[in-house]
Amino acid sequence: MLLRTERKEIVNLHNSKCRIVVGAGAVGLFLAHTLKIAFPQDSLFILSKSRTVHPLTIEYVDGTRMQEDLQVMLLSEIPHIVSSKIKSSNIYFYVTLPPEFSDRVFEYILLISKEIVEEKIITIIFLNNGLIDKKKIENFQLKLSKKVAITIQVIRALLIAGYMRTHDEKGTLVKNTGGNKIFYGTYKNEFIDSNIIFPQLFYSCIYDNEIFMREKAKFITNLLLGLIINKNLLENRNVLKIISKDKLDKTLESFCKLFRENEVKYEFIREQFMNTVHETGTNINSISYAWYHGNRQTIDYFVSELKSVMRKSKNKNAKHFMNEILKEYY
């Protein structure tokens, strides 16, 4: 059962670690479950915007189910509770919010940091989809650098797996429908000890020095799955029935040409797209699922990000083709 965290429970030993999962969607809940098992000695809680309390069941790929108790705290309470109650010297933020809300994480941490007087090491792991703006990260680190007691590290991680969350009168069920890979890297090629960050018992963790090309591959993959399947509850594999091979290839090629030469490689982007369709073929993508239920926030975010990339591009032919795709499916 998901329970509101009592304030007295958020007190940690100075030399311990505190792990904070930001977002209580399917990815966030499953990740929190695995962190709890892998690091039982650490404090763990979830930051969520919802007050809803549900019995929670976790289901693995093989069908095994476990009942789970996870501590959840309202996002609105962060500045008032976290800054004064967390005593750990190491704080890990696992960001699983939809990408359109990523900026809020920086705002929350800045609010928390105002109250910090002891030395802290803060690690932010962006696990969500979308394109994380490096300039915003630099500005954020610059603001935090004024707090001499804080050391900050930002990690980009991409989860190659499928998850599904369902609600009914019996509670909440979170399924891992397939996949368990985490690719990760940093913005400054810093050393990362993945053993203390990721729950290795549950994920295959792979360092990737091309993490930002992979980020773009995952971005266009998620965008096209949502855009082409549109507001229909269809499995991902149906995307290959809706769009022809030639048009799909031209779309992926045009996306690559929006960037500088050799920044994004077509063969890599296409391989990642096809691998995702193969590995999550029976899943319903989250963009289409939300769109079907009247929530356009995520599809609007992805389209807005694509248009931003297009505005910066000098390749007129690629921009024209991508505009035509948007007119057809959006």
Side-chain angles (χ1 to χ4, degrees):
M1 181 178 294
L2 269 159
L3 299 173
R4 292 280 306 282
T5 300
E6 296 297 330
R7 296 188 178 215
K8 64 182 180 180
E9 293 179 289
I10 313 173
V11 177
N12 322 119
L13 296 175
H14 179 73
N15 60 354
S16 70
K17 298 178 179 66
C18 181
R19 301 178 190 274
I20 303 170
V21 178
V22 186
V27 173
L29 291 173
F30 194 91
L31 176 64
H33 165 73
T34 62
L35 288 169
K36 182 180 177 181
I37 294 175
F39 306 106
Q41 74 280 10
D42 298 340
S43 294
L44 167 71
F45 57 92
I46 301 173
L47 301 178
S48 173
K49 64 181 179 180
S50 173
R51 290 181 178 274
T52 307
V53 177
H54 292 290
L56 175 63
T57 303
I58 301 293
E59 182 175 313
Y60 298 110
V61 173
D62 64 3
T64 302
R65 290 190 174 189
M66 294 183 66
Q67 294 295 312
E68 184 57 278
D69 294 319
L70 295 173
Q71 300 175 344
V72 66
M73 184 170 59
L74 296 182
L75 287 166
S76 60
E77 294 180 313
I78 296 176
H80 308 292
I81 297 181
V82 176
S83 59
S84 61
K85 296 297 181 181
I86 290 183
K87 305 303 180 184
S88 300
S89 57
N90 292 276
I91 307 172
Y92 297 86
F93 287 91
Y94 298 83
V95 182
T96 67
L97 288 173
E100 61 268 28
F101 300 122
S102 294
D103 288 354
R104 295 184 185 180
V105 177
F106 296 133
E107 296 171 11
Y108 295 146
I109 295 175
L110 285 172
L111 287 172
I112 293 169
S113 69
K114 291 180 180 179
E115 305 298 326
I116 292 178
V117 293
E118 298 176 329
E119 289 189 4
K120 302 284 185 186
I121 299 174
I122 295 178
T123 302
I124 307 174
I125 305 103
F126 281 102
L127 282 147
N128 49 3
N129 297 320
L131 303 175
I132 307 300
D133 192 329
K134 292 184 182 179
K135 194 67 178 177
K136 290 181 179 178
I137 290 175
E138 290 171 0
N139 291 338
F140 170 71
Q141 290 177 314
L142 183 62
K143 290 178 181 178
L144 268 187
S145 66
K146 298 175 183 178
K147 294 284 296 185
V148 294
I150 295 178
T151 302
I152 184 82
Q153 182 179 49
V154 180
I155 295 172
R156 187 64 172 112
L158 295 168
L159 185 57
I160 310 300
Y163 298 93
M164 185 177 295
R165 182 186 62 175
T166 56
H167 298 284
D168 58 26
E169 66 280 357
K170 297 179 181 179
T172 299
L173 173 65
V174 174
K175 291 183 180 182
N176 175 202
T177 56
N180 72 334
K181 290 182 181 178
I182 293 179
F183 292 90
Y184 66 94
T186 68
Y187 292 84
K188 295 183 178 180
N189 294 320
E190 301 158 292
F191 171 75
I192 302 173
D193 185 355
S194 63
N195 291 310
I196 65 173
I197 296 174
F198 302 112
Q200 305 272 358
L201 291 171
F202 297 90
Y203 299 100
S204 173
C205 302
I206 305 163
Y207 177 78
D208 187 357
N209 58 8
E210 297 284 0
I211 190 65
F212 299 108
M213 192 187 328
R214 191 177 296 277
E215 177 188 64
K216 293 177 178 66
K218 198 157 191 278
F219 170 82
I220 191 60
T221 296
N222 285 309
L223 171 59
L224 291 182
L225 286 174
L227 199 61
I228 295 167
I229 292 176
N230 215 266
K231 50 184 177 183
N232 301 300
L233 295 183
L234 297 175
E235 295 175 341
N236 286 342
R237 59 188 175 186
N238 285 283
V239 71
L240 301 179
K241 299 177 183 178
I242 299 171
I243 188 171
S244 69
K245 177 183 179 298
D246 289 343
K247 183 182 284 189
L248 174 61
D249 289 346
K250 184 67 180 295
T251 302
L252 295 172
E253 183 180 16
S254 295
F255 174 75
C256 295
K257 289 180 177 179
L258 293 174
F259 299 90
R260 295 189 301 271
E261 187 176 2
N262 297 323
E263 182 180 353
V264 182
K265 299 173 184 176
Y266 164 73
E267 293 79 9
F268 179 83
I269 297 295
R270 189 181 189 283
E271 179 185 24
Q272 297 309 307
F273 181 90
M274 298 306 295
N275 285 347
T276 299
V277 173
H278 174 72
E279 292 176 8
T280 68
T282 58
N283 291 0
I284 296 172
N285 75 81
S286 59
I287 295 176
S288 294
Y289 185 84
W291 199 354
Y292 174 84
H293 288 95
N295 183 351
R296 292 179 56 101
Q297 279 185 305
T298 306
I299 184 61
D300 288 347
Y301 162 82
F302 272 86
V303 170
S304 174
E305 286 292 295
L306 176 61
K307 287 182 176 179
S308 177
V309 171
M310 291 164 61
R311 284 193 295 271
K312 298 172 186 176
S313 176
K314 296 180 180 179
N315 192 313
K316 293 181 179 179
N317 291 333
K319 290 197 287 187
H320 175 75
F321 187 85
M322 296 307 292
N323 262 322
E324 293 301 308
I325 290 295
L326 290 178
K327 288 178 183 178
E328 182 176 356
Y329 294 103
Y330 185 57

